[in-house]
Amino acid sequence: MTDTLTAPTATRGLVEITGVRKSFGPTEVLKGVSLTVEPGGVAVIVGPSGSGKSTLLRTINHLEKVDGGHITIDGQLVGYKLRGDRLHELREKEILKQRTDIGMVFQNFNLFPHLTALENVAEAPVVAQGRSKEDARRRGLELLDRVGLKDRAGAYPRQLSGGQQQRVAIARALALDPKILLFDEPTSALDPELVNEVLDVIRELATSGTTLIIVTHEMGFARDVADTVVFMDQGQIVEQGTPKEIFSNPQEPRTRSFFSKVLEPAFNI
Ligand SMILES: Nc1ncnc2c1ncn2[C@@H]1O[C@H](COP(=O)(O)OP(=O)(O)OP(=O)(O)O)[C@@H](O)[C@H]1O
Ligand SMILES: [Mg+2]
């Protein structure tokens, strides 16, 4: 959790999700979701499979369009602009530009297999922000250092462990200096002994002032790192609160029932 005495005060990265609805065919998978994450805040989303966690995350960077409601980042609409009283979708180029503010880390790393670790990290700043190659390379090495991989800068993804690949993916997401970072189950494709090295990197980011929204099944990590734990079920936010409130004193029967199934009896809050 952020130390208020030493952490930088975040001034950017306010996420406001208001009444977001999304259907796939006849199935409504987000049924009016509203959530605010303050600048520099860390929100962890938990809930059963199929509850809409990934879909919600994907609406935040407009990988999914919404059917109702809206999302703003620092007051700016994501994916749309308001003309009169109607929302119109932005053009592809504008969407891509907006997305440089929003880093995303996926379960399966999604690194470019034909690029080295450093090239993976340095590519987007050159292509999307017009930075010089030299500048992007220097910054890329700094970021690889930050995730503990400076000595593997020249390695290709196939030469790296899953945990190392995911740390490269995190460095790549940081390279555009995003306002917010989205993580969709960043450790669930990893062997158990590699989970902590990735969680430790995210823990460090949690104190850095970047807004983080994390979907995970790692409840101990959620307890340690979240300002706000959000419990979703069947396309709705059932309950949200501090880790203490949600894990030790959930108010809603659905939340209680979920945690009684997923938390070890010895889980301490
Ligand atoms: N592109 C799609 N087309 C049709 N249905 C979809 C699509 N994406 C998701 N869904 C459906 O929407 C619902 C919510 O899916 P979502 O992936 O958001 O759940 P989740 O909470 O992330 O689950 P998990 O914990 O298993 O990752 C599910 O019923 C899923 O089958
Ligand atoms: Mg998911």
Side-chain angles (χ1 to χ4, degrees), residues 53-260:
K53 305 179 300 293
S54 295
T55 306
L56 178 63
L57 217 55
R58 290 163 59 82
T59 62
I60 298 173
N61 64 0
H62 202 61
L63 284 174
E64 298 288 357
K65 298 175 194 187
V66 301
D67 300 323
H70 61 267
I71 297 169
T72 62
I73 294 178
D74 293 336
Q76 195 190 5
L77 276 170
V78 174
Y80 300 89
K81 63 182 158 206
L82 196 59
R83 232 186 272 137
D85 59 357
R86 287 187 68 101
L87 294 182
H88 294 264
E89 196 177 17
L90 296 177
R91 269 177 260 167
E92 187 64 19
K93 205 174 154 190
E94 296 167 307
I95 291 170
L96 291 176
K97 180 163 183 295
Q98 204 170 50
R99 232 176 246 153
T100 63
D101 281 341
I102 311 164
M104 184 146 182
V105 175
F106 301 88
Q107 189 174 338
N108 293 315
F109 330 133
N110 289 7
L111 294 176
F112 299 116
H114 60 290
L115 299 182
T116 65
L118 179 57
E119 287 164 351
N120 264 284
V121 178
E123 164 110 344
V126 174
V127 175
Q129 292 180 325
R131 290 216 205 181
S132 74
K133 282 197 173 157
E134 198 39 50
D135 191 28
R137 225 184 112 78
R138 194 166 29 80
R139 172 96 175 111
L141 282 172
E142 277 169 25
L143 288 168
L144 286 176
D145 196 22
R146 186 165 168 194
V147 300
L149 287 173
K150 199 173 184 179
D151 58 338
R152 304 307 310 275
Y156 287 89
R158 66 174 184 280
Q159 299 168 323
L160 298 170
S161 72
Q164 290 170 334
Q165 289 183 59
Q166 191 60 303
R167 286 187 282 146
V168 173
I170 293 171
R172 181 178 63 175
L174 287 168
L176 293 172
D177 194 22
K179 292 178 173 182
I180 67 172
L181 273 177
L182 310 174
F183 292 87
D184 195 356
E185 300 197 32
T187 59
S188 55
L190 299 176
D191 290 339
E193 74 272 21
L194 302 179
V195 166
N196 274 325
E197 66 186 58
V198 171
L199 293 184
D200 284 345
V201 168
I202 304 174
R203 270 182 235 276
E204 190 266 321
L205 291 179
T207 62
S208 73
T210 309
T211 305
L212 308 184
I213 304 180
I214 305 165
V215 173
T216 185
H217 294 291
E218 298 282 340
M219 297 300 163
F221 170 69
R223 173 196 60 198
D224 296 346
V225 87
D227 307 315
T228 307
V229 177
V230 177
F231 173 66
M232 279 187 80
D233 191 23
Q234 297 181 9
Q236 292 174 314
I237 293 178
V238 175
E239 192 167 352
Q240 59 176 293
T242 63
K244 202 171 170 57
E245 286 164 349
I246 296 295
F247 289 123
S248 65
N249 192 21
Q251 300 297 306
E252 298 293 329
R254 276 196 277 174
T255 320
R256 274 190 231 132
S257 155
F258 175 73
F259 287 134
S260 73

Side-chain angles (χ1 to χ4, degrees), residues 20 28-33 50-52 232-237:
V20 163
E28 194 172 42
V29 301
L30 296 177
K31 300 174 183 166
V33 173
S51 56
M232 279 187 80
D233 191 23
Q234 297 181 9
Q236 292 174 314
I237 293 178

